[in-house]
Amino acid sequence: MASIHQSFGFGTPPANRSLQGFPGSPGYQSSQSFYSQTPPGVAPYQHSLISPTDAQSSSTISHLPLARDSIDVAGRTIDKCILSDSSSAKLIDQLKITKEGCPTHSGLSPSDYPQAAQSCRMLLKQCGTMKRVPLPQELVEQFAHVETISSMGLLPQIGRAWLTIDSNIYLWNYRDGSDLAFYDGLSEAILSAGIAKPKPNVFQPQIEYLLVLATTVEIVLLGVTFSGDEIHVIPDPLFALPTDGAFILTIEASDSGRIFLGAKDGCLYEVTYTSDSGWFSRRCKKINHSRSAISFLLPSFINAAFYEDEPIVQIVIDESRRLLYTRSDKGTLVLFDLGENGSSVSRVAYMTLQNIADAAHNIVSTIDKTCFRPLAGISLIESSESPELNLVAFSTSGVRMYFTCLPFNAIIGAPLTSPVQRYSGLTLTHIRLPPGFSVSSTSQKPSNVRASYYCKGTSILSSPHADDTDTIWVASSDMFPFSQTLTEGFSVEQLDGRVCDIVLDGVRNSIVGGLKMEPPAVVVQHSRPPANFVILTSQGCHIFPKLRPVEVLRQILVESGGADSEIVRTFFTILKEEQGAAVALILACSQHAQDPQISDWATKAFLLYGGEIKTTPTNVVPTFPHSSLSGSDSPLTGSGRPSFGTPLHGPPLGFSTLGTPVQSFQPPLISTPQPGQTIDNLAPISPIESFFSGKHNGIYIYLGRIIRPIWIRELISEKKIGNSLLVESSVSVDEIGFIISKLTDLQSFIERNSLITSASLPDNFNISRRNITDVPAQRRHYMDVKQAEKQSLQALDHLVKHSAEVLGLWRVICDHQLHLLKDNLPGDILSQMKMMSFRDLILGGQEVCSSLINSLINRYLADSASTDSISSRLRDVCPSLYRSDDAICSKVNELLLNARNESSRANKEQLLKEALELCKQIPTRVQLSNVCQHLSALQCFSGIVDLCLAVADKRDPQKRGLYYYQSNEPADDKAGRDSYLARIDAYRQITTYLGLLMYGIPASPQGPPTTSQTVADAQSQVENMLKLVLRSDDELCHVAVYSWLIERGLIDKLLQIRSPFLEKYLLREKDCHPEVPLKMDLLWKFYENQRNFAAASKVLAQLADTHNAQLSLNQRIEYLSRAIVCAKSGSMNVGPMSAQGDLLHELEEKMDVARLQAQILESVMQLPSHIPQVRDAISRLNSEFFNVTTLYEDFAEPFGLSECQLAIMQCAGHQDPPLIMSIWSQIFDKEIAKVGNAESSTKMAVLGAALKRLARQYASSEQYFPLEHVIKTLELYAVKFQYQEPLWLPNTLLSAGIPLLRIYKAYVKVHSARDNVWKAEGAPHHLVTVIDRITKIFAENPNSLPAPERRSMYGTLLVELPVLLSHLYGFADPQAKLLAVSLKQTQEQLLRSSLH
C-alpha cells in the first residue's frame, strides 16, 4: 500500500541483542537472508491496489549511492558510533586492575583530578544550583520538646524525609517541605525507621508501602497509602513483634520486600511475615542471621561472654547480585549472600577495619595508614557500572576503597556473558585517594568525613566546616567519559547544617536498549533528566542536580552570555570536538519555549568550535589516540583503517593537564594521491590524509545516541495470555514518541542551519606546508574532502527523515493495536518481524512497512470505515512511506468496496466513475490486476479499457515503447524495451478480460467470480470493449488486441476490423516473422477483403516463394494458384497490358514449373524412403520452388525420372531428338520392368496404358512425341512378346486422340526405313500386316473420318499402297503373297469408294 524505500542490508540479528551483535564486532551475523525474497503479491480481496515503487529522494547525491543506499551507508556509520559509545573503558580498566592480581591505586597523579584556572572552574563544577528546603516550621517547634532521642533520615522510595522525636515520627515531602504527616501511636522512643514494599498477596492492594519502626521494645509495621501526593499512615499496626532486647540501629529493605535490621548487638536480623499462621509458626517473626540457632537458647549474659558487640550502623543491599553488606561502627564489613533467587541468607565473609587498613597500606605504602580508617560509609557499585567490582568504602579521610566479592583472578578477562560463580569473599582491589594528595595539587583534602555516598560514578563526601555546618565534596568523571584512566572533576560546596543523610532522587529508568553495561552519562544525557542528590541536614534538605556535560555547557553559555568565550572553546577542547559538538546539539536542537536563546548560543558554539576538516601530510604524523574500532572500514570513504583525530591546536587554555587522551569517533578520508595516480604538469607532493570535521562526526554521534535505545532492540515481543500469545511492540508508544521528537528536532536543526549545502574553503584554511610543494593540489583535495563530507551529511539527513517516518508509522500501528493487525499480515512478514530489530526495520524493512500499511488500511476497509482520517494521519507521519498517491489508492479501495455493496445502479456507476478518475491520477501506482478484478466483478468492463489505456500512457508518456516497436525492437534500446513491456503489461488486462467474457477463463486463479450473464450479454461486452480499443489512437493497444485475436484463432473478427493500424501491424508481422505463414496468410486475406487484389497477389506470390519447411509444395501451389486468381481479378480492373498483366504472365509461367516440381515430388515419394537422398529430395522439393534446370539436374536425372525429364524438356522448350527418343525408350522399359514376368497381354496392356497417358499430354507436340520411334519400339515389344493383336497399338493411339492419317503415315515411314531388326526378330512383314489392318479399317468405314481428313487419307493410301505391293512382290514366302492379295483388294475397294 505504500511507496517504500528500497531494501537495505540489515545488521544485527534480532536474536542477539548484546553489543557483540554490532557490525564489525565478533559474533556479528547479517540478517539480510531474512529479506532476500521479493514482496509477495497481495490477494485480490485484501484491498491492496498499489505496487511498491522506487524510493523518492529529496536530493541527489552525486558520488554516493542514491537515497536508499545512502541510508544504508549512514546506518552503518551509526553502528560504529553506537559501538564507539559502548566501547568506553570499564571501571576495572580505568583503575588499571590487571590479571596479574596486584591491587592498584590512583589519585596521586595530577591527571587524576584535573584542575582548572579560576576563569574555567565552571567546567569542572559538579553541582548545579542548590535548592534549600527548610524543615517544616512545625518540626522546628517540636525540637524543643525532645526528651530522650531524636533522629532523621530520607526515604527516597516515597520521596519523604523523616524525623523521630522520642516516640513520634514525622514524614514530609523533602522536595518542597509539604505534606507533613506524623504518627504517635507508640509509647517507647523510636530508634530507627525504614520503608519497605509489601510482599505480594499478603495485604490489601491499597497498602503501597510498609513503614517499619523500631523502638526499644518492639518492631512495628505500619501500612502506608497515598491519595494523590498525600501520604497516609494507617494507625493500627499491621504487625508488631518484640525486639527481645536488641536495639535496632538501621533498617533496610530489598525490592522484593525483605526487611533487614541492624542491631546494636552486632547481629543482622530479618523480619518475616506471611498472610496466615500455622500450628508451629507465627505470622510475623524476627530471625537472627548472625548467630547460630543455639544462641537463642542461652541467657543473654552467656551470649555476651562469647560475642563482642559491634553495632551494625549501615546495611547495603545489592539487588542485582543478591548480596547484602553490613558495616559496624568499628569498621568491620560483613558480606551476606542472599542466594541466587534472593530468598536465603548466608554469611560469606567479613573484613575488619585493621585488615582493611593493612591491605590499603600495602597498596599505597607512601600514605599514612590513618588515612584508611575509620570508615565513614559504604556504597554499592552497581553491576551495570562494573560487573567485577562490588563495593566502595570511604574512610574519614575521603579515601575510596574498591572491593570485589569474586576471587581476584576471576574478575579479569571474563566476558560479561559468561556465568558467574557465587561470591566467596571480600578483596580490596584499588585505593582511590581524594583530591589534594597529588604533589602539585593546590586543593585542600577532605577530612573528618562523616557521611559518604556513591552512585554511578559520582562520589559525595561530607566533612565538618565550622560549628554546625558541613562541606560536601562531589567528584565525577562525567566530563571525561572516554578516558582510559579514571579522571574526575570535583567541586566543593558549603551547607548550612550537619549532614544526616544523602540519597539520589529523581532517577528515571531511561531506555538503554537492554544493554548490560550502563553507558557514560554523556551518551544518555539527552534522554534523561539530571540526577538530583538530596542531602538532609539539621536545617532542612538541600537538593542539587548533578551537572553533566550538557548542563555544564548550558551554564557556561548563560554565564558567558553567548558562545564567544574562552571557556566555551575550552569545553570543546576537554571533550574533543566531535563529543563537544554532540553535546552542543542537545541544546541547539531543543525546541523548548524557554530555551530559544540558549539554543542559538549552542548552535553558534557548534559551528565555531565543532572543528573543520583536518588535512595533513602522512609524513607529518599526528598523535592520534588508539581506538577500539580500529581495523574496520570507514563506512563513508572506504579507507582501509579508521583513525580518530584530535585537534591540531595546542593544549587547552586554563588547564594544567588533561590526563589521558580520550577516544573519539573520526572516520577518515583516503590519503591522496592514490598509488598509481599521477598529476600532470605538477611537482610531486606528499600524500595527504584527511579527516572529517568534528561537526560532521558530532551529528552522527548525536543521531546514534538518539536511536541507540531501540537500535538493536527486537521489534515485537510475545506475551502469553491464557493459552494464546499476544504480539505487542517491545517499545512503548511513549518511548517511540520521545525518539521521534528528538529526530524531528535534529532534522529541523539540519534544515535551519543549511549543514548540507556546499561550502567554500574556510577562512582559516591553512594546511601544513612541510614537504608540500603544491598548495593548489591541497586546495583541490580539500574541496574533494568537503564534497565527501557533504555527501555523508546528505546520507545522514536521509536517515534522520526516514527513521522518523518509520518510527512514526510504527507508533500509528501500535495505536491501532498490533495484535489486531497481525492477522492481516502475510505469514512470512510476521515471521520476519519476530526476528527483526528496529535497525532492520529502518534500514531494510520495506516489505514490513508496506505490509503494515496494507494491514492497517485493510482493517479500516473491513470495518466499512472511511480511510480519509487514517490516510491523512499517515501522510502527516510518514509522507515518503505513504504518499499522496497511496492515500488516493486507499480511497479507490474504499470506493470500489462501496460500489460492490451499492444496490442502486446510478450510485454504483457514480462510485465507479469516481474510482476510475482517482486511478487515472495515479496510474503508475495502481495494481492493475487487482483493480481490474474489482471492476470485472462490478461488470465495469469499459472502465477496464479506459483505465488500462490511461495507465499505459502514463507509464510511457514519451512513447518510447511505440518507437521501440516501430524500430523492430532493437536489442540495444533497453529504455524503449522497458517502456514497451510496461505498456504491454497494461494491455494484458484488456485481453485477459476479453478472454474471460468470451470463454469464461478467469483472470487469475485467485480472481473474483464474475457475475453470471448470458452469452449475448458477454458478447455485447466484448464488442463494446473492442470498440473502445479501436476508437483509441494507441497503436500498441491495437497491436496487443490484434495479437490476442490471432492467438485465439479469431481471424474472421480480426479481418473485420477497419483500422489504419491493422495493415501496418500485418505488414510488420510479415517482415518480422517471415517464417510464420499465418502472418502472411492474414495479410493477403486482409488485402482480399479490402479488394486490393494486386497487393493480395503479390503477398500470395511471396508466400508461395517463402523458404519455409512448414509449407508443403501443394500449399505453395495453392498460394500460387490464388495469386494467379487475384492477379487476374486485378488485371480486369487495370488492363492486361499493365504491370499487373506482367505479374500474371510471370505467375502462370511459375505455375507451369511448379506443376513439374509437383510431378517430380510425386515420383520421388514413390521411391524407397529409407534412402537418405530420397528423404533429402522430398524435403527440398517441399521447401521452395526450383527452376527447370535445377529440377532436371538435381532431381529428375539423378533419380531416373524419365517422364519428368520429358516434361521438363517440353516445359523448357529444349529440342534434342536423340535424347527425347532415349527418354521414351526408358519410359517403356520401366513400364515393362514393373510387371516383370507377366503374360504378354498384361505387358502390352501396361505399355498401352502408359502410351495412352503420355500421348494425351505430348501428342500435340511432334518434337516431344516421336511417333515413329514410339511405334517402332512398341511394335518390337509386340513381336518380342508374340502378341497376336496387330491393331492394339493403332487402336491405343486412336484412343489417345491421334488421327488415323498420322498413325498411317508413321507406320509407313517406319516401314520404309527397311530396318533389319524386323527380320532379325523373325517378323519381316509385321509392319505391313499392321498397315494392312489400318487400311482395311478405313476402307470399311471411310465416313468415320471428317471429309478433309478423309480426302487426305484417300490420297495417301492410293500413293502408298502401290509402294507396299511392289515391296511384297519381291518376297516369295506365302505370308507376303497373302498380304499382297489383301492389300490389292483393299486398294481396289478404295478406288471404288473414291469414285463415289
Side-chain angles (χ1 to χ4, degrees):
M1 180 62 68
S3 173
I4 304 174
H5 291 298
Q6 288 178 353
S7 180
F8 309 101
F10 296 151
T12 309
N16 184 1
R17 298 301 173 201
S18 66
L19 286 177
Q20 286 83 353
F22 279 112
S25 63
Y28 169 73
Q29 294 178 349
S30 173
S31 60
Q32 180 119 18
S33 60
F34 299 150
Y35 314 101
S36 60
Q37 296 179 351
T38 55
V42 181
Y45 280 96
Q46 289 182 348
H47 320 298
S48 176
L49 307 181
I50 304 177
S51 301
T53 60
D54 291 339
Q56 292 185 352
S57 172
S58 59
S59 61
T60 302
I61 302 176
S62 58
H63 299 296
L64 288 178
L66 293 178
R68 299 185 184 180
D69 292 335
S70 68
I71 289 175
D72 189 39
V73 169
R76 285 185 274 117
T77 307
I78 294 300
D79 289 337
K80 297 194 175 187
C81 291
I82 295 176
L83 183 58
S84 179
D85 277 345
S86 303
S87 300
S88 58
K90 298 193 298 181
L91 179 59
I92 194 172
D93 296 327
Q94 289 182 318
L95 299 179
K96 304 303 179 184
I97 301 174
T98 61
K99 60 183 178 180
E100 284 75 16
C102 297
T104 59
H105 68 273
S106 62
L108 294 176
S109 171
S111 64
D112 292 338
Y113 295 102
Q115 298 191 30
Q118 184 66 34
S119 60
C120 296
R121 280 190 178 171
M122 183 57 211
L123 292 173
L124 296 182
K125 187 175 177 60
Q126 303 300 315
C127 304
T129 304
M130 190 80 71
K131 175 184 177 183
R132 182 179 181 277
V133 182
L135 294 176
Q137 186 60 38
E138 297 89 335
L139 293 182
V140 176
E141 297 173 356
Q142 292 295 325
F143 273 114
H145 305 292
V146 175
E147 295 180 358
T148 58
I149 189 172
S150 176
S151 59
M152 19 186 354
L154 296 170
L155 303 174
Q157 300 92 327
I158 59 175
R160 295 298 186 270
W162 60 271
L163 169 67
T164 63
I165 298 178
D166 298 330
S167 62
N168 298 333
I169 184 169
Y170 300 87
L171 301 171
W172 72 97
N173 189 327
Y174 57 65
R175 297 186 181 97
D176 55 15
S178 63
D179 191 29
L180 178 63
F182 73 96
Y183 177 75
D184 58 358
L186 301 177
S187 58
E188 300 294 331
I190 300 174
L191 300 179
S192 59
I195 198 76
K197 291 181 180 179
K199 292 182 179 179
N201 305 319
V202 176
F203 306 109
Q204 295 296 324
Q206 62 268 24
I207 297 178
E208 301 180 43
Y209 289 93
L210 299 178
L211 180 62
V212 184
L213 302 177
T215 70
T216 55
V217 297
E218 65 178 342
I219 302 168
V220 178
L221 276 63
L222 301 173
V224 177
T225 63
F226 284 88
S227 176
D229 292 332
E230 293 185 3
I231 189 172
H232 301 280
V233 180
I234 299 175
D236 297 329
L238 300 173
F239 293 111
L241 67 161
T243 60
D244 296 326
F247 281 32
I248 306 303
L249 302 181
T250 181
I251 300 174
E252 201 67 41
S254 68
D255 290 344
S256 62
R258 299 182 70 179
I259 302 170
F260 295 96
L261 314 173
K264 187 178 180 181
D265 59 4
C267 294
L268 175 68
Y269 295 94
E270 180 180 2
V271 175
T272 64
Y273 57 88
T274 60
S275 57
D276 298 312
S277 60
W279 288 99
F280 302 102
S281 63
R282 292 174 292 174
R283 293 182 63 193
C284 183
K285 60 183 179 180
K286 176 170 61 71
I287 302 174
N288 188 336
H289 291 301
S290 297
R291 297 180 182 174
S292 63
I294 194 173
S295 64
F296 294 99
L297 303 177
L298 299 176
S300 59
F301 70 90
I302 298 178
N303 281 329
F306 284 97
Y307 297 96
E308 180 182 356
D309 290 343
E310 286 192 21
I312 294 178
V313 294
Q314 188 178 4
I315 298 175
V316 177
I317 301 176
D318 188 341
E319 298 287 351
S320 62
R321 300 183 179 97
R322 305 288 193 270
L323 297 177
L324 182 145
Y325 307 91
T326 65
R327 177 179 65 88
S328 71
D329 64 346
K330 295 182 181 180
T332 298
L333 303 181
V334 183
L335 168 64
F336 293 87
D337 189 349
L338 301 182
E340 292 187 6
N341 57 4
S343 61
S344 62
V345 178
S346 61
R347 179 170 167 164
V348 177
Y350 73 96
M351 197 171 187
T352 65
L353 181 60
Q354 183 63 41
N355 298 143
I356 295 172
D358 292 342
H361 186 68
N362 290 334
I363 297 173
V364 194
S365 59
T366 58
I367 304 299
D368 187 70
K369 188 180 293 188
T370 58
C371 293
F372 308 122
R373 60 185 181 189
L375 297 184
I378 59 174
S379 294
L380 291 176
I381 300 176
E382 297 180 359
S383 60
S384 61
E385 181 183 358
S386 173
E388 302 89 0
L389 301 177
N390 305 83
L391 186 71
V392 59
F394 295 86
S395 72
T396 55
S397 297
V399 176
R400 270 177 278 165
M401 291 167 278
Y402 292 86
F403 292 86
T404 181
C405 299
L406 292 169
F408 196 88
N409 58 3
I411 68 173
I412 305 297
L416 298 183
T417 55
S418 63
V420 179
Q421 61 185 17
R422 294 310 296 170
Y423 304 90
S424 58
L426 280 170
T427 304
L428 180 61
T429 60
H430 184 81
I431 299 296
R432 177 72 171 185
L433 298 171
F437 278 81
S438 171
V439 176
S440 61
S441 175
T442 59
S443 66
Q444 296 181 351
K445 303 175 184 178
S447 61
N448 298 323
V449 174
R450 297 191 298 182
S452 64
Y453 187 80
Y454 179 88
C455 181
K456 297 181 180 178
T458 299
S459 302
I460 303 176
L461 303 176
S462 169
S463 62
H465 175 62
D467 297 334
D468 294 329
T469 63
D470 279 357
T471 298
I472 61 169
W473 299 66
V474 183
S476 172
S477 60
D478 286 351
M479 281 296 291
F480 309 93
F482 299 102
S483 175
Q484 297 301 306
T485 61
L486 184 58
T487 305
E488 296 178 305
F490 72 94
S491 60
V492 181
E493 303 290 341
Q494 304 299 324
L495 303 180
D496 60 358
R498 295 293 185 189
V499 173
C500 300
D501 200 0
I502 306 173
V503 297
L504 180 65
D505 178 58
V507 178
R508 298 179 185 176
N509 293 326
S510 177
I511 34 181
V512 294
L515 305 179
K516 293 183 177 182
M517 289 296 297
E518 181 78 4
V522 71
V523 175
V524 296
Q525 59 186 345
H526 67 283
S527 62
R528 298 181 181 180
N532 289 322
F533 288 97
V534 183
I535 301 178
L536 178 64
T537 70
S538 56
Q539 301 301 314
C541 291
H542 296 75
I543 304 174
F544 65 90
K546 168 65 181 68
L547 295 183
R548 303 166 298 178
V550 66
E551 285 84 33
V552 172
L553 179 59
R554 173 192 286 270
Q555 193 157 337
I556 62 177
L557 286 172
V558 172
E559 293 182 359
S560 303
D564 297 320
S565 66
E566 187 65 27
I567 190 172
V568 177
R569 188 186 74 83
T570 306
F571 174 86
F572 279 78
T573 303
I574 296 175
L575 284 177
K576 303 304 178 186
E577 289 177 349
E578 61 269 14
Q579 294 293 339
V583 173
L585 283 171
I586 301 175
L587 300 176
C589 295
S590 175
Q591 299 293 321
H592 293 157
Q594 64 270 28
D595 289 346
Q597 184 63 66
I598 294 177
S599 177
D600 293 341
W601 288 339
T603 300
K604 189 173 182 180
F606 172 84
L607 297 174
L608 284 176
Y609 310 120
E612 296 294 335
I613 292 171
K614 296 178 181 60
T615 306
T616 183
T618 55
N619 59 354
V620 179
V621 182
T623 56
F624 295 122
H626 172 71
S627 167
S628 62
L629 291 182
S630 61
S632 56
D633 289 343
S634 167
L636 298 176
T637 63
S639 175
R641 60 168 187 87
S643 61
F644 296 82
T646 58
L648 297 181
H649 43 73
L653 298 178
F655 280 83
S656 60
T657 177
L658 285 179
T660 306
V662 300
Q663 293 178 345
S664 64
F665 169 74
Q666 181 73 42
L669 290 177
I670 56 176
S671 300
T672 58
Q674 295 278 6
Q677 281 185 321
T678 58
I679 304 176
D680 296 336
N681 303 322
L682 294 177
I685 65 172
S686 299
I688 300 174
E689 190 167 24
S690 302
F691 302 88
F692 284 156
S693 67
K695 292 191 289 288
H696 165 278
N697 298 340
I699 296 179
Y700 266 101
I701 290 171
Y702 181 54
L703 175 58
R705 289 171 180 173
I706 290 175
I707 58 180
R708 168 193 174 92
I710 64 170
W711 191 241
I712 59 171
R713 192 186 292 195
E714 61 273 9
L715 189 62
I716 61 176
S717 59
E718 293 181 328
K719 181 171 65 176
K720 190 170 185 179
I721 300 180
N723 294 326
S724 60
L725 289 176
L726 179 66
V727 176
E728 59 184 6
S729 172
S730 64
V731 180
S732 69
V733 174
D734 292 339
E735 292 173 321
I736 292 292
F738 174 79
I739 294 175
I740 292 174
S741 68
K742 292 297 181 182
L743 290 172
T744 304
D745 293 345
L746 178 58
Q747 182 179 340
S748 300
F749 173 82
I750 294 173
E751 295 172 352
R752 191 167 58 245
N753 293 280
S754 303
L755 294 180
I756 301 178
T757 57
S758 59
S760 59
L761 290 173
D763 296 336
N764 61 349
F765 174 74
N766 183 19
I767 302 178
S768 173
R769 300 189 58 179
R770 278 183 292 173
N771 301 324
I772 302 289
T773 60
D774 185 35
V775 174
Q778 299 174 49
R779 290 179 175 269
R780 287 195 301 271
H781 174 73
Y782 182 91
M783 294 309 297
D784 291 341
V785 177
K786 194 74 175 177
Q787 179 65 18
E789 180 171 295
K790 173 188 171 184
Q791 294 170 359
S792 176
L793 289 175
Q794 285 177 326
L796 176 135
D797 184 50
H798 287 305
L799 179 60
V800 171
K801 294 176 181 177
H802 183 64
S803 299
E805 292 193 18
V806 171
L807 294 178
L809 170 62
W810 187 251
R811 181 166 61 172
V812 172
I813 295 299
C814 293
D815 289 341
H816 287 78
Q817 298 181 309
L818 177 61
H819 64 278
L820 297 178
L821 299 177
K822 74 176 182 65
D823 294 335
N824 291 330
L825 293 173
D828 59 332
I829 294 296
L830 186 59
S831 298
Q832 290 179 21
M833 290 175 61
K834 292 179 181 179
M835 304 185 71
M836 288 182 75
S837 65
F838 279 91
R839 178 189 188 275
D840 300 333
L841 183 66
I842 292 171
L843 298 186
Q846 175 183 357
E847 295 179 51
V848 174
C849 288
S850 178
S851 297
L852 287 172
I853 293 176
N854 278 335
S855 178
L856 182 59
I857 296 298
N858 290 344
R859 183 75 181 177
Y860 274 76
L861 296 176
D863 294 339
S864 300
S866 173
T867 60
D868 293 342
S869 60
I870 188 60
S871 291
S872 177
R873 185 178 179 189
L874 289 173
R875 287 286 301 130
D876 292 338
V877 169
C878 47
S880 67
L881 299 180
Y882 188 80
R883 298 178 297 181
S884 57
D885 291 356
D886 303 317
I888 292 175
C889 283
S890 297
K891 191 64 179 177
V892 171
N893 276 325
E894 180 184 338
L895 291 172
L896 290 177
L897 291 177
N898 291 341
R900 291 187 61 204
N901 299 325
E902 181 60 53
S903 58
S904 170
R905 183 179 181 84
N907 293 341
K908 179 180 292 189
E909 291 179 352
Q910 180 62 31
L911 290 172
L912 289 174
K913 182 178 179 181
E914 293 177 13
L916 284 173
E917 290 302 319
L918 290 175
C919 285
K920 290 179 183 179
Q921 295 179 24
I922 51 168
T924 58
R925 298 293 316 287
V926 172
Q927 281 189 353
L928 269 181
S929 59
N930 289 347
V931 177
C932 291
Q933 286 175 8
H934 283 273
L935 294 175
S936 171
L938 295 168
Q939 298 296 304
C940 185
F941 294 98
S942 60
I944 294 175
V945 175
D946 195 14
L947 178 61
C948 291
L949 290 173
V951 168
D953 188 58
K954 290 295 184 180
R955 287 181 178 178
D956 180 25
Q958 298 179 350
K959 301 188 183 303
R960 291 179 178 175
L962 180 60
Y963 177 79
Y964 173 79
Y965 170 79
Q966 292 175 343
S967 303
N968 294 328
E969 305 177 14
D972 57 345
D973 187 3
K974 185 177 184 303
R977 180 178 181 274
D978 293 341
S979 299
Y980 173 77
L981 294 177
R983 280 183 171 268
I984 294 300
D985 181 67
Y987 306 140
R988 188 175 294 113
Q989 298 301 319
I990 297 176
T991 57
T992 296
Y993 286 93
L994 284 172
L996 175 66
L997 289 169
M998 295 188 70
Y999 306 107
I1001 302 173
S1004 72
Q1006 298 82 23
T1010 56
T1011 305
S1012 59
Q1013 53 185 343
T1014 64
V1015 175
D1017 290 339
Q1019 187 62 34
S1020 175
Q1021 294 280 15
V1022 169
E1023 296 298 332
N1024 187 36
M1025 290 181 70
L1026 288 176
K1027 286 180 181 178
L1028 290 174
V1029 171
L1030 299 177
R1031 195 182 301 162
S1032 75
D1033 59 352
D1034 189 334
E1035 181 176 348
L1036 286 182
C1037 185
H1038 284 250
V1039 169
V1041 173
Y1042 299 159
S1043 298
W1044 179 81
L1045 290 172
I1046 293 173
E1047 290 172 3
R1048 295 290 183 179
L1050 302 175
I1051 306 303
D1052 292 340
K1053 186 172 287 293
L1054 175 69
L1055 296 177
Q1056 292 172 7
I1057 293 175
R1058 297 293 181 264
S1059 168
F1061 301 125
L1062 181 55
E1063 182 178 4
K1064 292 171 61 178
Y1065 168 77
L1066 294 175
L1067 285 171
R1068 181 185 180 279
E1069 290 297 299
K1070 174 185 74 75
D1071 295 336
C1072 294
H1073 307 285
E1075 73 284 357
V1076 182
L1078 177 62
K1079 305 296 183 179
M1080 300 183 70
D1081 260 345
L1082 291 175
L1083 183 60
W1084 74 260
K1085 290 178 181 178
F1086 167 78
Y1087 283 135
E1088 193 175 57
N1089 277 359
Q1090 300 290 327
R1091 303 192 67 77
N1092 187 352
F1093 297 111
S1097 65
K1098 292 179 181 178
V1099 174
L1100 284 165
Q1102 186 178 355
L1103 183 58
D1105 283 333
T1106 301
H1107 182 81
N1108 192 329
Q1110 297 179 8
L1111 288 178
S1112 67
L1113 182 60
N1114 290 335
Q1115 289 175 306
R1116 296 176 188 277
I1117 293 174
E1118 182 180 353
Y1119 286 134
L1120 198 57
S1121 176
R1122 287 181 177 273
I1124 293 172
V1125 172
C1126 289
K1128 289 180 179 179
S1129 300
S1131 63
M1132 294 173 61
N1133 298 327
V1134 298
M1137 300 305 293
S1138 65
Q1140 187 66 20
D1142 296 338
L1143 175 62
L1144 176 60
H1145 177 71
E1146 179 184 346
L1147 292 176
E1148 288 176 339
E1149 288 185 344
K1150 187 175 293 186
M1151 176 59 81
D1152 293 338
V1153 179
R1155 291 193 181 101
L1156 284 176
Q1157 187 167 331
Q1159 181 181 351
I1160 293 173
L1161 175 61
E1162 182 179 358
S1163 300
V1164 172
M1165 291 178 68
Q1166 294 176 2
L1167 299 176
S1169 60
H1170 64 275
I1171 301 175
Q1173 293 83 349
V1174 172
R1175 293 195 299 270
D1176 181 64
I1178 293 173
S1179 176
R1180 288 184 62 194
L1181 290 169
N1182 275 305
S1183 63
E1184 60 180 314
F1185 283 138
F1186 295 100
N1187 56 38
V1188 290
T1189 302
T1190 303
L1191 290 175
Y1192 188 90
E1193 294 177 351
D1194 291 358
F1195 302 100
E1197 186 176 34
F1199 290 102
L1201 305 178
S1202 304
E1203 293 186 22
C1204 296
Q1205 289 177 274
L1206 183 61
I1208 290 172
M1209 296 187 70
Q1210 181 192 33
C1211 180
H1214 182 70
Q1215 298 182 9
D1216 187 349
L1219 178 60
I1220 293 173
M1221 288 188 289
S1222 173
I1223 291 172
W1224 276 100
S1225 298
Q1226 293 173 15
I1227 292 172
F1228 295 139
D1229 291 342
K1230 290 178 181 178
E1231 291 297 324
I1232 292 298
K1234 289 179 183 179
V1235 295
N1237 297 325
E1239 295 181 355
S1240 299
S1241 59
T1242 302
K1243 292 180 180 179
M1244 301 313 294
V1246 168
L1247 289 173
L1251 176 61
K1252 187 185 295 185
R1253 182 182 71 253
L1254 294 173
R1256 289 173 179 171
Q1257 182 176 355
Y1258 299 105
S1260 60
S1261 176
E1262 294 183 2
Q1263 295 91 342
Y1264 304 101
F1265 188 70
L1267 185 56
E1268 294 84 356
H1269 178 73
V1270 171
I1271 291 173
K1272 177 182 177 182
T1273 302
L1274 293 179
E1275 289 295 353
L1276 284 172
Y1277 274 119
V1279 172
K1280 181 178 180 180
F1281 298 144
Q1282 298 180 2
Y1283 190 61
Q1284 301 300 322
E1285 294 289 338
L1287 287 178
W1288 75 271
L1289 181 56
N1291 289 335
T1292 300
L1293 293 173
L1294 286 173
S1295 64
I1298 299 175
L1300 183 62
L1301 177 61
R1302 184 181 174 189
I1303 297 171
Y1304 181 78
K1305 289 181 177 180
Y1307 267 95
V1308 171
K1309 191 172 182 180
V1310 173
H1311 179 265
S1312 61
R1314 303 293 189 267
D1315 196 336
N1316 293 328
V1317 67
W1318 303 103
K1319 184 176 181 181
E1321 291 293 337
H1325 307 300
H1326 178 75
L1327 290 178
V1328 177
T1329 303
V1330 176
I1331 293 172
D1332 177 55
R1333 293 295 182 92
I1334 294 172
T1335 305
K1336 288 185 181 301
I1337 292 173
F1338 176 74
E1340 292 173 357
N1341 190 11
N1343 293 328
S1344 61
L1345 298 179
E1349 187 178 348
R1350 186 170 60 247
R1351 287 194 294 271
S1352 297
M1353 187 67 180
Y1354 274 124
T1356 301
L1357 290 174
L1358 293 176
V1359 172
E1360 293 296 336
L1361 283 176
V1363 175
L1364 290 172
L1365 289 172
S1366 175
H1367 172 70
L1368 290 173
Y1369 291 154
F1371 292 92
D1373 57 280
Q1375 184 181 7
K1377 292 179 181 180
L1378 291 175
L1379 286 173
V1381 171
S1382 178
L1383 283 175
K1384 189 64 178 176
Q1385 293 174 353
T1386 302
Q1387 182 180 25
E1388 293 174 355
Q1389 186 178 355
L1390 289 172
L1391 288 172
R1392 288 193 298 270
S1393 297
S1394 63
L1395 295 176
H1396 297 289

